[in-house]
Amino acid sequence: MMTRMSTTKEINAVLKWLKDGSIHCVIGTHRLLSPDIKFRNLGLVVVDEEHKFGVADKEKIMHLKAGVDTLALSATPIPRSLNLALSGVKNFSILSTPPHGKKPIHTAVARYDQTIVKRAIEEELARGWKVFFVHNTIKTLPILKKEIESLVPKAKVVITNGQLPSDELEDRIMEFKLGMHNVLLTTTVIENGINFLDTNTIIIDEAEDFWLAQLHQLRGRVGRSDVQSYCFLKTASRGPTAIERLQALETEQRGMKLAEIDLQLRGSGD
């Protein structure tokens, strides 16, 4: 494994093993696209969460995988990738059968209201589960933390965001996972890779500021087991495009269909 949380000693060891071919598989973040990565005999590249890679990263992947079999995975393909697939430039397959026992995530769009927030958190804690609360403005997270703790005295809130040192970020998420906190107040740093079976409500603040694909990814942080899960999209916008985007999430659970709607709303071009 290779990530930004790996130590220098661990990274140097993996670099050596990749170069001399003594390991068969490496799993990592964007770190694997760094120029110091040398593969002895690369045969397969798997790109998970393909929508998270920008144009510069895609160019590095193209260079990395020249002449190599490649499989790209995404719950919500970005417009460029989706257009390449639909036009036949890339082969693509859809996995549309949900895991056994998985229930659709109940999704509701509403204007921000303290009463709704209070009820949503209280009911989830009463079920014995935990809550994600996504608010993507770092400087106002402490203010919102005090508001939640005032509304719900039983709420034990911890804040996470991508500007925290990696060790502290990991510690806070692990504390939440172990039950030391029951509300994770966070930015979109949890968008990928978070899989907690005991967290089954997510509240997304200012949801009009996100595009469909990102909202679908955030919603997917809950409903990881056979327990009914809930997603509340809080919005202050009355703009027709924003409302159309959010209402699509109320009725649609399939990532591919949402990606198509996303493409239509953004404009597919030629």
Side-chain angles (χ1 to χ4, degrees), residues 70-72 84-85 88-93:
T70 306
L71 175 63
L84 289 171
V89 176
K90 289 185 176 181
N91 296 323
F92 78 107
S93 301

Side-chain angles (χ1 to χ4, degrees), residues 13 38 41 64 71 92 106 133 164 183-184 205 216 232 244:
K38 306 294 181 184
N41 186 22
L64 177 72
L71 175 63
F92 78 107
H106 180 80
F133 196 120
L164 292 171
V183 177
L184 185 66
D205 195 18
H216 183 61
F232 297 93
E244 183 180 359

Side-chain angles (χ1 to χ4, degrees), residues 114-172:
Q114 286 188 338
T115 304
I116 297 175
V117 171
K118 174 181 170 67
R119 182 179 175 184
I121 295 175
E122 284 182 339
E123 290 190 359
E124 190 64 3
L125 298 187
R127 292 201 301 169
W129 306 121
K130 296 186 292 223
V131 177
F132 290 129
F133 196 120
V134 178
H135 178 81
N136 213 29
T137 306
I138 291 176
K139 66 180 181 180
T140 52
L141 285 172
I143 299 171
L144 189 54
K145 180 178 185 290
K146 291 181 179 178
E147 180 181 323
I148 294 170
E149 290 173 336
S150 175
L151 288 172
V152 187
K154 291 184 179 180
K156 294 177 286 186
V157 184
V158 63
I159 292 175
T160 60
N161 64 73
Q163 291 184 5
L164 292 171
S166 57
D167 289 347
E168 186 176 354
L169 174 61
E170 186 176 22
D171 287 345
R172 292 189 184 190

Side-chain angles (χ1 to χ4, degrees), residues 15-36:
L15 290 174
K16 176 180 179 295
W17 295 333
L18 286 175
K19 192 172 182 179
D20 65 25
S22 58
I23 55 175
H24 299 129
C25 179
V26 60
I27 302 173
T29 58
H30 292 66
R31 178 67 178 85
L32 290 178
L33 300 180
S34 302
D36 59 344

Side-chain angles (χ1 to χ4, degrees), residues 44-48 50 65 68-74 91 93:
L44 174 66
V45 175
V46 180
V47 184
D48 195 16
E50 188 253 6
K65 69 184 183 67
V68 175
D69 292 331
T70 306
L71 175 63
L73 308 170
S74 176
N91 296 323
S93 301

